[in-house]
Amino acid sequence: MIVGGAQIGGIQKAEPRATVVARMMALMEQAHRQGVQFLVYPEMTLTTFFPRFYVEDRAEFDHWFETEMPNAATQPLFDLARRLGMGFTFGYCELTPEGQHFNTSIIVSPGGEILSTYRKTHLPGHADHDPARTHQHLEKRYFLAGDTGFNVVRNQGVIMGMAICNDRRWPETWRSLGLQGVELVTIGYNTPSQNNLSAEEGIERRVYHHELSVCAGAYQNSTYAVAVAKCGLEDGNHMFAGSIIVDPDGFVIARATGEGDELILAECDFDKCAFGKSTVFNFAAHRRIEHYGRITNQTGVRIEV
Amino acid sequence: MIVGGAQIGGIQKAEPRATVVARMMALMEQAHRQGVQFLVYPEMTLTTFFPRFYVEDRAEFDHWFETEMPNAATQPLFDLARRLGMGFTFGYCELTPEGQHFNTSIIVSPGGEILSTYRKTHLPGHADHDPARTHQHLEKRYFLAGDTGFNVVRNQGVIMGMAICNDRRWPETWRSLGLQGVELVTIGYNTPSQNNLSAEEGIERRVYHHELSVCAGAYQNSTYAVAVAKCGLEDGNHMFAGSIIVDPDGFVIARATGEGDELILAECDFDKCAFGKSTVFNFAAHRRIEHYGRITNQTGVRIEV
């Protein structure tokens, strides 16, 4: 299967959903021409990364959220995908009928069916305005921590699982999917190029941490991974690009070269997942869960020495 | 604190413990001259990596094991360390009074006290002779899986934890130590340069996997790590070198250049662990243990889709 990543350049505050969906469709058309059968879009693909802005009354930001999917703005994308026989995944902000806000992604079959919904588990940042930061990162203000956990689905013959942005830094994410036999992990992200708490941590170090996390997660679970950025300048803030496709050996096999809308793709032979899963990472043979208790019994650090 | 890694070149079958200990002492003297205060030796430092050999009767290999520590062969090393005020850690094969065999490492204080004993959790390889392999890797034959779990100890003011060889590939190892506030993870290893089940997986790919695992583990737990090889040619088998010291940002800050006895060292500022532990990897703020259940409930892969 040829898998694609559709990196999306910055989306400004004023940009309507219809414009973004048109950009997504252009990338999907291009992907189809190049043989891509499954296409990965970023986290929060439809809007600017609004958690960089603070509002006292959270409800003022409900307009960044989708109350149904597909909806009028995204229906053309779903229609195009069905016409092309393209499976895809993308992220958006979800407002449920119960009034809950999540940072969400979905996997859609080539037939247009939503097969799986994932709500971001590891929300980074903070919940209140923090004057110590060079810029705000208020995901904990605008979203609830996801309630879905990490699940896989079989789509187009491949066992797929989703993660979103900061989830990729947490080996718990990868292992939860790995224990379900995942063969393709999809990750969308919006990652500022500057650590908002450290002047010295700039883009090079942050891209390294991104790649390190994705490559290690792929290797240690013997799975392909596609990590796709929304990136470049957005409302005057820079987010790094660095979209990559990684093989089950942890090697980058495709990488974006720019910071705008850009297609990356790679032929993925999912049979290659089997070697690692049956040898060095044969979990049944080698894992020792009797010694892993702290990982699920204990949330934070406990120093007892 | 200046931390050192004492890489050890191959030890041949016929080489007595005394010769090896003399090589260890020479590296310790050198380390002391260069200001090292804590020194890390490899896994199974005292002997050849005998799990590459098959014997029908396991008891024939008991001579590779130590029944007490320190013992006559290693007492000079302990004496030298106490004289120099050097803390250290090394690995050896342990045979307990109850007749149990473990792949073990210890942390020894500058005063000569054994502060912590760790028995390797993740034994790679297999238990019976396997003709499909280019060479044998019989750790599961000669050792029991460790019964200690992952623990930390405070030595010379630093929270230290041990892992051995294959443990470094398992994020469960790192997280178990990270949840105890670890600031320095020590890892000794003996890793063949060739995957014995894959002709195409040679030294470059294997060194990459080694570094990827150590760098990701250090970054994702905001800890220093020292990973030290026994390496080079041993009984006609090649093991890769690649000893490294890694900082809490996941960057290699010292690296061995050869495949023999060699000292590497780096100044480690353990205050640097605090930044990651209090921001992106603030476990108390960001971990969601309610979604990690599979990690401890389930050993092997379960495919349900």
Side-chain angles (χ1 to χ4, degrees):
Chain A
M1 179 192 282
I2 300 181
V3 171
Q7 179 175 285
I8 302 283
I11 299 172
Q12 313 313 314
K13 252 176 144 170
E15 202 162 341
R17 309 289 205 274
T19 313
V20 180
V21 170
R23 288 163 59 184
M24 294 171 74
M25 291 170 67
L27 285 164
M28 188 178 278
E29 295 270 17
Q30 181 191 346
H32 175 71
R33 286 194 300 272
Q34 297 188 44
V36 170
Q37 294 151 281
F38 183 78
L39 186 58
V40 180
Y41 293 100
E43 174 193 36
M44 228 182 276
T45 312
L46 302 175
T47 64
T48 198
F49 185 76
F50 63 84
R52 70 171 68 92
F53 303 114
Y54 175 81
V55 284
E56 180 71 26
D57 178 6
R58 295 174 171 89
E60 283 180 34
F61 273 5
D62 277 357
H63 65 95
W64 298 119
F65 289 76
E66 317 300 316
T67 54
E68 51 182 0
M69 189 58 61
N71 54 24
T74 56
Q75 190 62 53
L77 178 74
F78 280 70
D79 292 344
L80 175 65
R82 199 164 48 240
R83 186 165 62 75
L84 300 177
M86 178 83 75
F88 65 106
T89 175
F90 75 102
Y92 62 95
C93 302
E94 177 191 13
L95 176 54
T96 72
E98 298 76 28
Q100 293 181 303
H101 299 74
F102 294 108
N103 188 338
T104 295
S105 63
I106 51 175
I107 289 175
V108 185
S109 75
E113 187 189 353
I114 295 176
L115 298 178
S116 184
T117 299
Y118 169 69
R119 293 166 173 166
K120 185 174 180 178
T121 303
H122 298 99
L123 299 173
H126 49 115
D128 295 303
H129 189 270
D130 180 356
R133 293 176 186 255
T134 57
H135 48 278
Q136 302 299 299
H137 199 108
L138 290 155
E139 287 193 57
K140 286 192 196 291
R141 182 173 189 82
Y142 300 122
F143 301 111
L144 294 172
D147 59 358
T148 56
F150 301 99
N151 301 299
V152 301
V153 68
R154 196 180 290 269
N155 176 43
Q156 296 168 271
V158 177
I159 303 177
M160 299 184 177
M162 292 175 275
I164 300 180
C165 195
N166 184 44
D167 285 327
R168 72 198 186 285
R169 304 184 196 274
W170 297 84
E172 292 89 345
T173 300
W174 296 89
R175 187 63 92 227
S176 298
L177 295 169
L179 283 163
Q180 299 171 78
V182 76
E183 297 167 321
L184 179 66
V185 176
T186 67
I187 301 152
Y189 61 91
N190 287 250
T191 308
S193 301
Q194 176 68 43
N195 185 321
N196 58 41
L197 288 168
S198 167
E200 69 176 19
E201 186 179 317
I203 190 163
E204 279 183 33
R205 198 185 304 182
R206 288 170 72 76
V207 170
Y208 169 71
H209 289 157
H210 150 68
E211 279 205 18
L212 179 63
S213 298
V214 175
C215 292
Y219 164 61
Q220 291 172 338
N221 295 278
S222 199
T223 179
Y224 284 93
V226 185
V228 179
K230 182 147 66 66
C231 54
L233 269 179
E234 207 174 66
D235 305 319
N237 288 266
H238 195 265
M239 301 186 298
F240 68 70
S243 300
I244 48 177
I245 302 177
V246 177
D247 76 12
D249 255 324
F251 287 93
V252 174
I253 55 174
R255 181 186 269 117
T257 55
E259 296 190 338
D261 291 11
E262 179 178 345
L263 178 71
I264 62 172
L265 57 88
E267 171 96 43
C268 297
D269 175 0
F270 292 100
D271 290 342
K272 287 192 177 166
C273 298
F275 180 72
K277 287 181 195 294
S278 62
T279 59
V280 64
F281 296 115
N282 178 336
F283 295 163
H286 302 310
R287 294 182 79 242
R288 308 297 308 186
I289 59 174
E290 67 273 28
H291 296 305
Y292 301 162
R294 285 186 188 90
I295 295 171
T296 46
N297 291 338
Q298 176 183 335
T299 302
V301 171
R302 278 191 216 143
I303 294 178
E304 292 169 347
V305 294
Chain B
M1 178 191 284
I2 301 180
V3 171
Q7 180 175 286
I8 302 283
I11 300 172
Q12 312 315 313
K13 250 177 147 170
E15 200 162 343
R17 307 286 205 276
T19 313
V20 180
V21 170
R23 289 164 58 184
M24 294 171 76
M25 290 170 67
L27 285 165
M28 188 179 279
E29 295 270 17
Q30 181 191 347
H32 176 69
R33 287 193 300 273
Q34 298 189 41
V36 170
Q37 294 151 279
F38 183 79
L39 187 58
V40 180
Y41 294 100
E43 174 192 36
M44 229 182 276
T45 312
L46 302 174
T47 63
T48 198
F49 186 77
F50 63 84
R52 68 172 70 90
F53 304 114
Y54 175 81
V55 284
E56 181 71 25
D57 178 5
R58 296 174 172 89
E60 284 181 33
F61 273 5
D62 277 356
H63 65 95
W64 298 118
F65 288 76
E66 317 300 317
T67 54
E68 50 182 2
M69 187 57 62
N71 54 24
T74 56
Q75 189 63 53
L77 178 74
F78 280 70
D79 292 344
L80 174 66
R82 198 163 49 239
R83 185 162 65 74
L84 300 177
M86 179 82 76
F88 65 105
T89 174
F90 74 102
Y92 62 95
C93 301
E94 176 191 14
L95 176 53
T96 72
E98 299 76 27
Q100 294 181 305
H101 299 74
F102 294 108
N103 188 337
T104 295
S105 62
I106 51 174
I107 289 175
V108 185
S109 75
E113 187 189 354
I114 295 176
L115 298 178
S116 184
T117 298
Y118 170 69
R119 292 163 172 166
K120 184 173 180 177
T121 303
H122 298 100
L123 298 173
H126 49 114
D128 296 303
H129 190 272
D130 180 356
R133 293 176 187 253
T134 57
H135 48 280
Q136 303 297 299
H137 199 108
L138 290 156
E139 287 194 56
K140 286 191 197 290
R141 182 173 189 80
Y142 300 121
F143 301 111
L144 293 172
D147 58 359
T148 56
F150 300 99
N151 300 300
V152 300
V153 68
R154 196 181 289 269
N155 176 44
Q156 298 168 270
V158 177
I159 302 177
M160 300 183 176
M162 292 174 276
I164 300 179
C165 195
N166 183 43
D167 286 326
R168 72 197 186 287
R169 305 183 196 275
W170 297 84
E172 291 88 346
T173 300
W174 297 88
R175 188 63 95 228
S176 298
L177 295 170
L179 282 163
Q180 299 170 80
V182 75
E183 298 168 319
L184 179 66
V185 176
T186 67
I187 303 151
Y189 60 92
N190 287 250
T191 308
S193 301
Q194 176 68 44
N195 186 320
N196 58 40
L197 288 168
S198 167
E200 69 177 21
E201 186 180 315
I203 189 164
E204 279 183 34
R205 198 186 303 182
R206 288 170 71 76
V207 171
Y208 169 71
H209 289 158
H210 150 68
E211 279 205 17
L212 179 63
S213 298
V214 176
C215 292
Y219 164 62
Q220 291 172 338
N221 294 278
S222 198
T223 179
Y224 284 92
V226 186
V228 179
K230 183 147 65 66
C231 54
L233 270 179
E234 207 173 68
D235 305 318
N237 288 267
H238 194 264
M239 301 186 297
F240 68 71
S243 300
I244 47 176
I245 303 178
V246 176
D247 76 11
D249 254 325
F251 286 93
V252 174
I253 55 175
R255 180 185 271 117
T257 55
E259 295 190 339
D261 292 10
E262 178 178 345
L263 178 70
I264 61 171
L265 57 87
E267 170 94 43
C268 297
D269 175 1
F270 292 100
D271 291 342
K272 286 193 178 165
C273 298
F275 181 72
K277 287 182 195 294
S278 62
T279 59
V280 64
F281 296 114
N282 177 336
F283 294 163
H286 302 311
R287 295 182 78 241
R288 308 298 308 188
I289 59 175
E290 67 272 29
H291 295 305
Y292 302 161
R294 285 187 187 89
I295 295 171
T296 46
N297 292 338
Q298 177 182 336
T299 302
V301 171
R302 278 191 215 144
I303 293 178
E304 292 171 348
V305 293

